[in-house]
Amino acid sequence: MRPGNLRLRRYALAVSALVLIALSTPPASSHDAPKGWTYPFACCSGYDCREVPKKAISERPQGYVIEGTGEVVTYQDARIHTSPDGQYHWCSIAGADDSRTICLFVPPKSY
């Protein structure tokens, strides 16, 4: 076999392998909130986010306080997002009740 043909075969094999990997790998996605909107992938790996009762989050002069952990998320923190459904949603590492906040969705002040 000529060296040029061997290189072309290796290239075709490599491209075929990449295409096969791309087709067999599920796309990165997040999951839906109970009211049907989708948590952003940056906040959620499919299980990190959930709706929480209003009493789970309190507002203080310093920011939002996650009652279960005592963590304070300041009002200027980039992890805070407006909740599309007017409910609190908390995204924490591995969805654990005792881990740090990834994202916090808060109702707009008009709710």
Side-chain angles (χ1 to χ4, degrees):
M1 186 177 293
R2 292 178 41 195
N5 288 342
L6 184 57
R7 247 182 295 190
L8 185 58
R9 277 185 94 167
R10 287 183 180 161
Y11 177 76
L13 184 60
V15 169
S16 297
L18 288 174
V19 168
L20 183 61
I21 290 169
L23 292 175
S24 64
T25 304
S29 63
S30 50
H31 69 97
D32 290 342
K35 304 270 184 338
W37 56 277
T38 301
Y39 296 114
F41 183 71
C43 295
C44 185
S45 296
Y47 52 85
D48 299 320
C49 299
R50 65 227 174 258
E51 186 175 327
V52 294
K54 185 177 181 178
K55 67 181 181 180
I57 311 292
S58 64
E59 288 190 58
R60 307 267 169 75
Q62 312 89 309
Y64 294 98
V65 178
I66 311 301
E67 292 298 328
T69 65
E71 179 185 10
V72 176
V73 182
T74 64
Y75 293 114
Q76 298 80 22
D77 196 304
R79 297 176 292 170
I80 294 177
H81 304 276
T82 301
S83 173
D85 63 8
Q87 303 298 316
Y88 285 98
H89 297 261
W90 183 43
C91 307
S92 61
I93 296 174
D97 291 333
D98 60 352
S99 63
R100 92 176 162 76
T101 299
I102 300 170
C103 290
L104 180 63
F105 294 86
V106 300
K109 296 296 180 191
S110 63
Y111 269 84

